[in-house]
Amino acid sequence: MMVASLADPIIARIFGGVVINCNDTFGPASYDVHGLRFVFVPSAHDTATYALDVESRDTESPPFLVQHFESTNMPFFELWTRLEVIAKLLGYPVLELVKESRRLNLHDEDISIRRVDTPTHWIAVGRL
């Protein structure tokens, strides 16, 4: 298992691990629209399955998807990053989950999702 080095910029601490901005560290990764690569590095002995999704705050919400979430009071990318994490952990196409919006409020799954949003990015980390 790779461990984040002291040189890696730590974006957030979550689930005992860290979210970093790094091009060569192994772990669940996500790219923003600008090509920046973010990685979740769990603690050294953590064996849980994780997923990460990141979206830049300056990314425009796609209108054809926004319509599926109009009834919520949450910002689109806050919901979208959550849904992407769920899809990654379940190995399920994210657009199929959009059709099944019930999955936004999981009660029957053992998925824990935490937000570590920054002023520049929406960031969700999930653990299965």
Side-chain angles (χ1 to χ4, degrees), residues 1 4-5 7 11 13-14 23 31 44-45 47 51 53 58 60 64 73 79 92 97 123 128:
M1 163 149 329
S5 76
I11 307 298
R13 298 180 187 281
I14 191 76
N23 288 326
Y31 289 86
H45 300 290
T47 60
D53 193 58
D58 63 1
E60 294 207 22
F64 73 96
N73 292 328
L79 288 167
Y92 201 77
L97 289 182
I123 304 173
L128 182 62

Side-chain angles (χ1 to χ4, degrees), residues 58-110:
D58 63 1
T59 303
E60 294 207 22
S61 304
F64 73 96
L65 286 174
V66 171
Q67 66 186 353
H68 291 280
F69 304 105
E70 287 176 346
S71 63
T72 67
N73 292 328
M74 296 173 75
F76 171 78
F77 281 114
E78 186 173 333
L79 288 167
W80 183 254
T81 54
R82 175 182 170 80
L83 200 57
E84 281 276 12
V85 165
I86 293 167
K88 290 174 182 181
L89 288 171
L90 296 177
Y92 201 77
V94 70
L95 292 178
E96 290 298 317
L97 289 182
V98 169
K99 294 178 189 176
E100 300 176 24
S101 60
R102 65 179 178 80
R103 296 250 192 179
L104 290 175
N105 297 310
L106 294 175
H107 298 292
D108 58 342
E109 309 283 353
D110 289 327

Side-chain angles (χ1 to χ4, degrees), residues 8-61:
D8 293 327
I10 295 176
I11 307 298
R13 298 180 187 281
I14 191 76
F15 290 123
V18 294
V19 174
I20 60 173
N21 179 248
C22 185
N23 288 326
D24 57 3
T25 299
F26 295 110
S30 181
Y31 289 86
D32 74 4
V33 71
H34 305 290
L36 293 175
R37 183 175 184 266
F38 294 79
V39 181
F40 176 72
V41 181
S43 63
H45 300 290
D46 190 342
T47 60
T49 301
Y50 289 94
L52 168 74
D53 193 58
V54 175
E55 297 290 344
S56 178
R57 287 189 185 259
D58 63 1
T59 303
E60 294 207 22
S61 304

